[in-house]
Amino acid sequence: MRALTMAIAMAVVLTGCGGGREELAAKACESEVRNKLAGRTFELDLADLAAKAKPEQADVLYLSSQIVFDKGLTSEYRQTVECKVRLDPGKEPSVIFLQFNWSMDEIKKN
């Protein structure tokens, strides 16, 4: 019984550290976006990305959120970014899909 109580306590502590599957997947997506957009200024809300994570398969999460380019500048525009991350136990999360979706509304404003 004591071991079970200790295991539950450790699980609660680790969950509070933000190491959940959704957060790991969101960080992997952000890293891949940074690699693809090297030299560009953008803002991606990791909390929003993680909150919208949905399981697609047992080991794959689908994430989607808005990304803002050139925030605060006259050239500011927004897109949606979609990302799929494979989470294999004992391995680093790997991005298996990354896509930026253009919004026609932003184009029409200019």
Side-chain angles (χ1 to χ4, degrees):
M1 185 67 172
R2 187 176 196 170
L4 178 60
T5 303
M6 184 62 134
I8 291 172
M10 290 302 293
V12 169
V13 168
L14 289 175
T15 302
C17 292
R21 290 170 37 100
E22 294 81 4
E23 290 83 7
L24 290 173
K27 288 178 183 176
C29 287
E30 179 193 37
S31 178
E32 190 66 23
V33 167
R34 286 197 189 288
N35 288 339
K36 296 289 184 197
L37 300 176
R40 305 269 321 259
T41 58
F42 67 91
E43 183 177 288
L44 181 61
D45 184 346
L46 279 179
D48 183 61
L49 192 61
K52 293 179 179 174
K54 297 176 185 170
E56 191 165 89
Q57 297 172 6
D59 63 342
V60 175
L61 288 178
Y62 168 83
L63 300 92
S64 177
S65 188
Q66 193 171 72
I67 184 169
V68 182
F69 292 90
D70 299 334
K71 186 169 184 167
L73 302 175
T74 57
S75 59
E76 178 179 317
Y77 65 100
R78 299 168 188 272
Q79 290 184 16
T80 301
V81 63
E82 296 180 43
C83 183
K84 292 181 187 179
V85 178
R86 182 176 313 281
L87 298 162
D88 291 323
K91 295 182 181 177
E92 289 291 318
S94 58
V95 175
I96 58 174
F97 175 82
L98 181 67
Q99 177 174 297
F100 299 93
N101 299 323
W102 293 94
S103 169
M104 295 305 291
D105 293 337
E106 291 296 322
I107 294 171
K108 291 176 186 176
K109 287 180 185 178
N110 297 326

